[in-house]
């Protein structure tokens, strides 16, 4: 699968939604009166990725997310249980997070595949598997695929989920997208492998079988433990550590962020991104930038 | 598709019951049952119908976490038992989970006394699939689809497509949506809920009646029984007309049906029966019928809707209605559209008013949802 | 007083529409007689906006509009809307 463009919108959350609306209005003429934070975040990344590209109508949209929209779901539950009123329709409709992948398709006039998808801590990698399946089947030749998540704003939830100190991370929100095509011509890079491994040993076995033509960078997901990193480092002795979570910040679509931030760097390099989930399963992505 | 994905095991828990045999018998007897749910949470003095799960002695109280997992795990375990899976087969079987509400029913009760629970507690959309994996000892991947009413239909679509490409030998597809106040009050706020009887495609249709339930399907590359269904093909596309309604002309819906037929290598005239999405809302039925007429012209095969039996089970309907349809056919029939009385000239499609005797065939199943999501699946149990 | 003659009520309705539908328009610029929802109507409102307004009206005035046909009739213009909320 070949990478033809990338788009990134990552930062500390801003309370005033006008900030996002103004940003998105630079890329699309549609006005998003009913959009919430999650929708606007999705648009901000996807529209950057599609900007000044000729995007075909049958381009697929694959929005991967860990949490989807949280804000409107809380609002609707508050309206029903605390205010004892009907939920407001705008809020209720946006509790269904696929409204975000819909608005991406609507603003870019895309009639192809439309998917909102999640896979605990491996959403972006598993989403790439779906895209790969569609490309092999011939049902999709071009696609926008992104990882979108609001910032984690709960210390207790974060620490319970990851067993990591909340204070050690810069909590950001983000929307990181790739324009992927089956076609190699004029590509800026490729994702050559997306693979899952039941344990560290099998991951290391795969790494050892890789041959590299370009300098290698290695990046890790949040749950990759220090001892895992050491073992991966030994298997990739010449690799340079790339730390987008430390450099840019953490949000639950950090794997997508790692890829798009790698693509912002100089060409002629290869990224091995290793992610791990709560079940101890590993997933690796191999990304080439030409 | 190079390899076929056969339905090796299945289970369903819906308003008609939790055993496939009796559920199919109830469909044959044209039974259905709705419960009047008061809108008391928001101090209104009327009720709206809902296809609730039957209350069973010994079950944990509805709306409890224990009930949520009891229904889910029981249904999944029944599908696995029906498939006769060996432990090593379970371990390497990926899970495809589709739902509109995901884990919201787990947290709602706490909102009676607290707020902001979900964002402080929920650990993401992928969590329920992971809980199923943990419960069953599955080591393979978990895929969660959150595309509103097409969620578990997308699960079937990708599980069968990936299996067709040889990615794995079997997969578990689950559609699950329990009653949630968020969904119930939300649909009523959109003025979508109809009084009983539920009558999709009828001139006097007045909207949707929601339902709750769980459907679980074990797909396998090997056919166990000559009568087993398999997934022939399918498609997903986006209708960008509006976030809540589809283009009334039905162009997008027609396109997705055509793509599904093409991927299945089936011509329109090879379809024996269409299982319509048929929600009973004014717009959805109009759009779907316009789409059907575009694809099938004057040669429309018999069309039926299954929601009057179990309600609109939103994200779960993909898996639930596939089980209901395939099991009814294996029992020798496709049920009529329960509740339908008066044809609507504007629709120009009259659904089945009598059961159709049929033991094998090729079927098109439609699923549409909010966010313009459209899915059509083609399944068959022909040789 | 009939709602369509009650300027305060009509301003209240206009404010409610502008706030709930996140419109970028001054309430003084909303014509009392202009169609609210027709194609090319000045506010460019659609059926989802109608639902949003209907729930806002229910939450604010306690007046329920139960079905979408009634909704379309009531919300023809600001004047018809005001008369529905306050018939006399």
């Amino acid at each position: 699968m070949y990478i033809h463009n990338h788009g990134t919108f990552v930062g500390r959350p801003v309370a005033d939604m006008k900030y996002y609306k103004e940003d998105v209005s630079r890329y699309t003429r549609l006005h998003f009166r009913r959009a919430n934070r999650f929708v606007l975040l999705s648009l901000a990344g996807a529209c950057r990725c599609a900007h000044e590209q000729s995007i075909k109508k049958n381009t697929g949209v694959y929005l991967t997310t860990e949490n989807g929209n949280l804000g409107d779901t809380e609002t609707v539950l508050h309206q029903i249980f605390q205010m004892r009123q009907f939920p407001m329709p705008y809020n209720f409709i946006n509790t269904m997070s696929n409204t975000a992948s819909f608005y991406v398709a609507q603003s870019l006039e895309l009639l192809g595949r439309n998917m909102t998808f999640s896979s605990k801590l491996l959403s972006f990698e598993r989403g790439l598997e779906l895209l790969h399946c569609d490309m092999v089947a011939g049902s999709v030749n071009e696609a926008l695929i992104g990882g979108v998540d609001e910032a984690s704003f709960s210390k207790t939830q974060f620490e319970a989920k990851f067993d990591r100190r909340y204070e050690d991370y810069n909590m950001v929100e983000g929307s990181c997208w790739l324009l992927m095509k089956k076609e190699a011509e004029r590509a800026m890079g490729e994702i050559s492998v997306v693979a899952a491994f039941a344990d560290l040993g099998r991951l290391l076995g795969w790494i050892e079988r890789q041959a590299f033509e370009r300098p290698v960078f290695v990046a890790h997901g949040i749950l990759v433990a220090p001892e895992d990193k050491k073992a991966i480092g030994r298997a990739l002795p010449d690799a340079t550590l790339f730390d987008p979570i430390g450099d840019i910040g953490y949000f639950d679509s950090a794997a997508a962020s790692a890829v798009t931030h790698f693509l912002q760097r100089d060409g002629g390099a290869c990224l091995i991104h290793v992610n791990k989930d709560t079940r101890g399963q590993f997933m690796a992505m191999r990304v080439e930038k030409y | 598709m190079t390899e076929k994905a056969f339905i090796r095991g299945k289970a369903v828990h819906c308003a008609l019951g939790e055993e496939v045999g009796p559920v199919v018998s109830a469909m044959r007897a044209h039974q259905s049952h709705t419960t009047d749910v008061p809108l008391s949470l928001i101090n209104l003095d009327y009720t709206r119908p809902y296809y609730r799960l039957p209350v069973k002695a010994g079950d944990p109280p509805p709306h409890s976490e224990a009930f949520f997992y009891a229904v889910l795990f029981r249904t999944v375990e029944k599908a696995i038992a029906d498939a006769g899976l060996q432990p090593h087969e379970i371990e390497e079987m990926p899970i495809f989970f589709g739902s509109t509400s995901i884990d919201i029913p787990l947290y709602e009760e706490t909102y009676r006394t607290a707020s902001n629970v979900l964002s402080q507690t929920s650990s993401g959309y992928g969590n329920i699939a992971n809980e199923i994996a943990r419960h069953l000892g599955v080591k393979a991947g978990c895929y969660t689809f959150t595309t509103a009413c097409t969620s578990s239909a997308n699960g079937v679509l990708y599980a069968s497509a990936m299996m067709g490409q040889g990615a794995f030998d079997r997969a578990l597809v689950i559609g699950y949506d329990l009653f949630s106040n968020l969904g119930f009050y939300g649909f009523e706020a959109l003025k979508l809920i109809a009084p009983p009887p539920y009558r999709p495609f009828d001139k006097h249709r007045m909207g949707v009646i929601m339902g709750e339930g769980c459907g679980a399907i074990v797909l396998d590359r090997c056919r166990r029984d000559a009568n087993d269904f398999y997934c022939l093909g399918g498609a997903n596309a986006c209708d960008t007309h509006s976030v809540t309604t589809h283009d009334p002309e039905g162009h997008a819906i027609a396109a997705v049906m055509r793509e599904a037929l093409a991927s299945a290598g089936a011509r329109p005239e090879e379809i024996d029966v269409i299982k319509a999405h048929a929600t009973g809302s004014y717009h959805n039925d109009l759009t779907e019928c316009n789409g059907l007429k575009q694809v099938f012209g004057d040669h429309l095969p018999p069309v039926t809707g299954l929601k009057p039996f179990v309600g609109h089970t939103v994200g779960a309907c993909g898996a639930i209605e596939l089980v209901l349809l395939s099991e009814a056919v294996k029992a020798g029939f496709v049920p009529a559209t329960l509740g339908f009385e008066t044809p609507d000239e504007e629709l120009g499609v009259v659904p089945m008013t009598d059961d159709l005797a049929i033991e094998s065939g090729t079927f098109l199943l439609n699923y549409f949802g909010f966010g313009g999501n459209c899915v059509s699946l083609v399944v068959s149990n022909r040789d | 007083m009939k709602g369509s003659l009650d300027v305060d009520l009509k301003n209240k309705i206009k404010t409610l529409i502008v706030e709930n539908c996140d419109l970028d328009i001054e309430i003084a610029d909303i014509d009392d007689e202009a169609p609210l929802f027709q194609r090319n109507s000045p506010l460019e409102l659609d059926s989802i906006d109608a639902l949003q307004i209907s729930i806002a009206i229910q939450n604010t005035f306690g007046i329920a509009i139960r079905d979408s046909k009634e909704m379309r009739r009531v919300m023809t213009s600001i004047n018809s809307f005001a008369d529905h909320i306050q018939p006399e």
Side-chain angles (χ1 to χ4, degrees):
Chain A
M1 296 191 288
Y2 295 93
I3 304 167
H4 285 252
N5 202 16
H6 56 96
T8 305
F9 182 87
V10 175
R12 301 280 289 190
V14 174
D16 187 357
M17 297 307 284
K18 270 191 188 148
Y19 166 74
Y20 301 93
K21 289 187 181 178
E22 280 168 13
D23 180 85
V24 169
S25 69
R26 298 204 308 242
Y27 300 99
T28 168
R29 275 178 297 141
L30 286 188
H31 51 102
F32 296 96
R33 285 190 289 113
R34 302 163 189 149
N36 61 0
R37 175 178 297 273
F38 185 69
V39 169
L40 290 165
L41 263 182
S42 303
L43 286 164
C47 289
R48 277 173 170 74
C49 186
H51 190 55
E52 292 182 342
Q53 301 286 314
S54 68
I55 307 276
K56 293 196 178 114
K57 280 211 177 298
N58 60 357
T59 298
V61 177
Y62 299 74
L63 192 162
T64 73
T65 179
E66 189 74 7
N67 303 298
N69 127 84
L70 284 171
D72 267 316
T73 307
E74 288 292 10
T75 303
V76 165
L77 290 167
H78 181 78
Q79 286 163 351
I80 297 170
F81 284 94
Q82 266 79 45
M83 294 168 75
R84 303 250 166 178
Q85 292 180 340
F86 271 121
M88 294 307 291
Y90 288 6
N91 298 124
F92 171 64
I93 291 165
N94 280 336
T95 63
M96 287 163 270
S97 291
N98 69 313
T99 56
S101 59
F102 168 82
Y103 284 120
V104 169
Q106 193 185 45
S107 64
L108 299 168
E109 299 175 28
L110 306 180
L111 310 176
R113 287 274 186 282
N114 197 280
M115 216 46 65
T116 297
F117 172 79
S118 193
S119 178
K120 201 167 179 171
L121 296 176
L122 301 170
S123 299
F124 189 65
E125 290 91 335
R126 294 286 183 199
L128 283 167
E129 288 185 342
L130 301 185
L131 171 58
H132 183 254
C133 169
D134 283 331
M135 281 195 175
V136 169
S139 38
V140 169
N141 293 318
E142 305 189 3
L144 287 163
I145 180 163
V148 184
D149 269 294
E150 297 176 28
S152 163
F153 48 85
S154 164
K155 178 171 156 38
T156 32
Q157 192 249 24
F158 179 86
E159 295 191 340
K161 189 170 170 181
F162 297 118
D163 198 21
R164 301 277 188 277
R165 271 164 45 96
Y166 189 77
E167 292 77 13
D168 291 346
Y169 296 87
N170 173 31
M171 294 298 172
V172 294
E173 60 185 5
S175 171
C176 299
W177 291 75
L178 302 175
L179 174 62
M180 303 295 295
K181 297 185 185 179
K182 219 170 168 174
E183 187 186 271
E185 204 176 320
R186 292 188 301 278
M188 64 179 299
E190 68 177 295
I191 297 181
S192 52
V193 183
V194 180
F197 305 96
D199 51 49
L200 182 66
R202 282 175 231 212
L203 168 72
L204 296 174
W206 172 79
I207 290 175
E208 276 153 22
R209 290 193 300 278
Q210 300 295 300
F212 298 103
E213 297 156 15
R214 303 183 175 94
V216 179
F217 291 80
V218 62
H220 304 289
I222 191 168
L223 278 186
V224 179
E227 59 273 22
D228 301 329
K229 290 180 187 173
K230 262 188 209 154
I232 294 163
R234 280 195 297 272
L236 287 168
D238 301 326
T240 310
L241 189 68
F242 175 50
D243 182 19
I245 294 176
D247 297 344
I248 293 136
Y250 181 78
F251 62 112
D252 279 338
S253 286
S257 165
V259 175
T260 63
H261 282 99
F262 171 73
L263 293 168
Q264 288 173 5
R265 299 164 63 99
D266 291 340
C270 172
L271 173 72
I272 299 292
H273 183 274
V274 175
N275 211 348
K276 188 180 182 182
D277 73 358
T278 49
R279 297 189 292 159
Q281 187 179 205
F282 288 87
M283 281 195 84
M285 287 186 283
R286 177 172 173 163
V287 185
E288 306 278 347
K289 185 174 181 192
Y290 302 152
Chain B
M1 241 181 258
T2 47
E3 300 276 349
K4 282 176 182 160
F6 293 97
I7 299 180
R8 173 168 163 184
K10 75 281 143 185
V12 66
H13 191 162
C14 60
L16 291 177
E18 59 173 301
E19 300 295 338
V20 169
V23 167
V24 170
S25 302
M27 282 199 294
R28 201 194 274 277
H30 287 192
Q31 289 172 5
S32 75
H33 177 71
T34 59
T35 304
D36 292 326
V37 178
L39 279 82
S40 50
L41 256 180
I42 61 169
N43 305 317
L44 292 175
D45 61 358
Y46 65 99
T47 64
R48 283 301 202 185
Y50 201 104
Y51 289 82
R52 299 298 310 259
L53 296 180
V55 179
K56 193 171 120 186
D59 264 352
H63 312 293
S64 66
E65 183 176 336
F67 183 76
F68 181 93
Y69 283 114
V71 171
L72 176 61
F73 291 162
R74 224 154 59 201
T75 311
V76 167
E77 284 163 4
K78 280 178 189 166
I80 286 174
D82 183 49
L85 293 184
Q86 300 299 313
H88 73 275
E89 293 180 308
I90 296 171
E91 199 179 296
E92 52 199 40
M93 169 181 68
I95 293 171
F96 291 75
F97 182 77
S99 174
T100 298
S101 55
I102 312 268
D103 57 355
I104 287 170
L106 279 175
Y107 298 109
E108 276 201 339
E109 281 306 291
T110 58
Y111 277 82
R112 290 179 192 275
T113 52
S115 54
N116 292 320
V117 184
L118 191 78
S119 49
Q120 305 282 341
T121 320
S122 170
S123 54
Y125 284 151
N127 202 40
I128 302 303
N130 263 39
E131 288 299 318
I132 300 165
R134 197 206 312 257
H135 180 74
L136 297 174
V138 167
K139 300 264 194 301
C142 293
Y143 301 80
T144 295
F145 297 84
T146 62
T147 54
C149 301
T150 54
S151 298
S152 60
N154 278 318
V156 174
L157 181 69
Y158 278 100
S160 54
M162 289 167 85
M163 195 183 299
Q165 293 172 7
F168 34 77
D169 293 333
R170 62 197 62 79
L172 175 63
V173 185
I174 302 149
Y176 189 35
D177 270 292
L178 271 192
F179 176 88
S180 78
N181 288 293
L182 183 140
F184 179 66
Y185 287 94
F187 264 58
E188 178 64 6
L190 298 185
K191 307 190 197 306
L192 278 173
I193 302 184
Y198 199 174
R199 42 188 174 196
F201 286 6
D202 192 285
K203 189 180 175 72
H204 306 296
R205 67 189 183 278
M206 291 179 74
V208 173
I209 302 180
M210 302 176 78
E212 57 182 342
C214 185
I217 296 165
V218 176
L219 295 175
D220 199 300
R221 281 165 70 170
C222 299
R223 189 177 213 160
R224 209 173 40 148
D225 208 88
N227 213 13
D228 280 348
F229 270 81
Y230 54 94
C231 301
L232 262 178
N236 163 298
C238 186
D239 183 343
T240 57
H241 176 76
S242 147
V243 70
T244 52
T245 54
H246 293 255
D247 159 27
E249 301 288 320
H251 296 308
I253 280 176
V256 80
M257 285 190 269
R258 285 195 183 106
E259 192 191 330
L261 290 167
S263 81
R267 295 187 307 276
E269 55 269 30
E270 290 175 88
I271 297 297
D272 292 289
V273 177
I274 296 164
K275 191 285 310 166
H277 190 54
T279 63
S281 85
Y282 171 78
H283 285 286
N284 181 83
D285 288 1
L286 179 64
T287 303
E288 186 168 16
C289 291
N290 283 337
L292 286 169
K293 286 185 287 190
Q294 283 189 40
V295 176
F296 293 93
D298 295 334
H299 304 286
L300 188 66
V303 178
T304 197
L306 298 175
K307 290 180 174 63
F309 291 105
V310 295
H312 186 356
T313 55
V314 291
C317 79
I320 288 176
E321 293 182 12
L322 175 55
V323 173
L324 296 182
L325 179 78
S326 57
E327 289 303 306
V329 171
K330 283 163 75 175
F333 73 108
V334 170
T337 307
L338 186 65
F340 174 86
E341 281 178 358
T342 315
D344 184 349
E345 308 79 41
E346 193 186 11
L347 296 183
V349 171
V350 179
M352 287 162 48
T353 51
D354 294 303
D355 291 0
L356 178 79
I358 186 169
E359 285 177 344
S360 72
T362 301
F363 304 85
L364 178 75
L365 297 94
N366 282 345
Y367 303 98
F368 309 115
F370 280 172
N373 217 268
C374 307
V375 177
S376 288
L377 302 173
V378 182
V379 302
S380 181
N381 66 338
R382 279 232 173 85
D383 284 331
Chain C
M1 183 172 29
K2 256 173 91 84
S4 53
L5 303 172
D6 185 338
V7 177
D8 284 348
L9 173 68
K10 289 199 283 189
N11 283 340
K12 212 170 160 186
I13 296 170
K14 290 176 188 175
T15 306
L16 179 142
I17 292 174
V18 168
E19 282 178 358
N20 278 281
C21 296
D22 194 12
L23 296 173
D24 202 9
I25 186 173
E26 297 298 321
I27 63 161
D29 296 334
I30 302 176
D31 185 344
D32 293 354
E33 271 302 316
L36 287 173
F37 293 99
Q38 275 170 25
R39 210 174 278 273
N40 304 323
S41 71
L43 299 185
E44 294 184 24
L45 298 176
D46 64 16
S47 62
I48 305 172
D49 298 314
L51 291 163
Q52 177 86 351
I53 295 164
S54 144
I55 297 299
I57 290 287
Q58 184 161 355
N59 290 344
T60 310
F61 296 94
I63 293 171
I65 305 170
R66 288 281 282 271
D67 69 77
S68 37
K69 271 183 197 152
E70 187 191 0
M71 187 169 78
R72 277 195 289 276
R73 187 175 53 75
V74 168
M75 294 189 197
T76 309
S77 66
I78 294 289
N79 279 339
S80 70
F81 212 162
D83 284 341
H84 179 79
I85 291 167
Q86 190 174 294
E88 50 195 53

